[in-house]
């Protein structure tokens, strides 16, 4: 199901996937443009993309391709066709397939797949062009390095999130962060050199050395309802 709304400066494209592993069926992705039905977008004419329905690892591969995702060894930037990625009404389901692979200095190969209600490691790593990401509203946890070197300026996290694992946003370009997770583990926001505004909600209990090298941080707000910090 595809719905298109022409906004003043941006096309909004809404896709409801019928089943996991079907998102890529809606797109023809080229080097300079993407087509979805009668809709065409380019790097200069980016989309507000809304995705609803259940998604697995193969769908994440498609999302990363649309958003200019690279692996850790690639240096050249890839085209990004999405400015706003809205996954609020999407849900990740567990899947053994891989959307990302890492190779250590000791040649150990690790594959990463989706887990239900989790933003898993490297899911949004090395994504260059997206400005805003809105996470699924059923998310419980964000894993290590999930947003490593992600260029999104704003990531909207639902209040359902309970845990941010260590280094979850390390080296990302996040500028504004509103988080209400109970536990924010060590170095979650390490080397987020563009982080300017931080808002901690009422449920935050532990921050455990979550911050470092945040030299642009100029605004901090703690919810008056927070009785833990």
């Amino acid at each position: 199901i595809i719905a298109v709304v022409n906004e003043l400066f941006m096309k909004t494209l809404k896709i409801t996937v019928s089943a996991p592993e079907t998102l890529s069926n809606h797109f023809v992705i080229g080097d300079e443009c993407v087509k979805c039905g009668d809709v065409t977008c380019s790097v200069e004419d980016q989309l507000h993309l809304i995705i609803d329905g259940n998604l697995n690892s193969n769908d994440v591969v498609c999302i990363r391709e649309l958003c200019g995702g690279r692996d850790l060894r690639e240096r050249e930037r890839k085209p990004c066709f999405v400015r706003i990625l809205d996954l609020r009404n999407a849900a990740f389901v567990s899947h053994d397939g891989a959307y990302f692979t890492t190779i250590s200095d000791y040649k150990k190969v690790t594959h990463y797949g989706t887990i239900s209600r989790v933003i898993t490691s490297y899911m949004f790593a090395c994504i260059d062009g997206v400005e805003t990401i809105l996470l699924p509203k059923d998310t419980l946890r964000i894993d290590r390095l999930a947003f490593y070197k992600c260029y999104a300026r704003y990531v909207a996290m639902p209040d359902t999130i309970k845990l941010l694992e260590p280094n979850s946003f390390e080296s990302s370009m996040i500028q504004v962060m509103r988080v209400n997770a109970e536990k924010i583990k060590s170095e979650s926001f390490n080397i987020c050199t563009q982080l300017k505004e931080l808002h901690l909600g009422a449920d935050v209990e532990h921050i455990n050395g979550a911050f470092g090298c945040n030299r642009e941080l100029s605004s901090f707000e703690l919810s008056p309802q927070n009785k833990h910090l």
Side-chain angles (χ1 to χ4, degrees):
I1 300 173
I2 304 172
V4 179
V5 177
N6 288 311
E7 296 181 343
L8 185 59
F9 298 110
M10 193 188 323
K11 298 186 186 80
T12 294
L13 178 64
K14 180 178 180 180
I15 297 178
T16 301
V17 297
S18 57
E21 209 164 319
T22 61
L23 179 63
S24 62
N25 296 343
H26 296 283
F27 295 97
V28 177
I29 303 175
D31 293 334
E32 298 182 356
C33 67
V34 166
K35 293 183 178 181
C36 180
D38 295 330
V39 179
T40 300
C41 66
S42 65
V43 174
E44 292 77 24
D45 183 24
Q46 292 177 308
L47 284 171
H48 175 185
L49 178 59
I50 303 169
I51 304 173
D52 297 352
N54 292 332
L55 306 172
N56 69 12
S57 300
N58 291 326
D59 299 308
V60 175
V61 171
C62 179
I63 290 171
R64 289 183 53 80
E65 188 173 4
L66 290 168
C67 296
R70 298 173 286 114
D71 66 35
L72 297 179
R73 295 173 182 266
E74 290 179 299
R75 295 292 179 261
E76 185 175 347
R77 296 185 68 173
K78 293 187 175 182
C80 175
F81 306 104
V82 178
R83 187 183 304 173
I84 301 172
L85 177 63
D86 187 344
L87 301 173
R88 285 177 293 180
N89 291 314
F92 294 111
V93 297
S94 297
H95 185 234
D96 291 336
Y99 60 78
F100 201 90
T101 299
T102 59
I103 304 174
S104 74
D105 293 338
Y106 301 99
K107 307 303 180 184
K108 179 184 177 182
V109 178
T110 305
H111 303 288
Y112 298 89
T114 48
I115 299 173
S116 177
R117 307 189 72 180
V118 176
I119 304 301
T120 39
S121 294
Y122 297 103
M123 183 176 286
F124 296 106
C126 301
I127 284 179
D128 285 333
V130 177
E131 292 183 1
T132 300
I133 300 173
L134 295 87
L135 299 181
K137 60 186 179 183
D138 70 342
T139 305
L140 292 178
R141 188 179 82 227
I142 299 180
D143 277 351
R144 178 179 175 271
L145 298 172
F147 288 88
Y148 180 68
K149 292 189 176 180
C150 176
Y151 274 67
R153 288 348 189 211
Y154 178 65
V155 176
M157 292 191 286
D159 285 344
T160 53
I161 292 180
K162 302 297 184 185
L163 175 63
L164 269 60
E165 293 285 11
N167 310 100
S168 48
F169 283 84
E170 181 174 309
S171 298
S172 73
M173 294 293 113
I174 193 80
Q175 292 184 355
V176 179
M177 176 56 62
R178 292 178 173 86
V179 58
N180 196 33
E182 292 178 5
K183 294 183 179 181
I184 305 174
K185 290 196 172 181
S186 61
E187 300 184 337
S188 292
F189 298 101
N190 191 40
I191 322 178
C192 292
T193 57
Q194 302 302 308
L195 182 61
K196 295 177 173 63
E197 298 180 28
L198 175 64
H199 307 265
L200 299 182
D203 296 335
V204 179
E205 298 180 6
H206 305 282
I207 54 176
N208 295 344
F211 302 93
C213 299
N214 309 120
R215 58 176 177 265
E216 295 295 321
L217 186 62
S218 58
S219 176
F220 172 79
E221 180 182 348
L222 178 65
S223 169
Q225 283 76 44
N226 189 300
K227 307 301 181 184
H228 309 291
L229 298 177

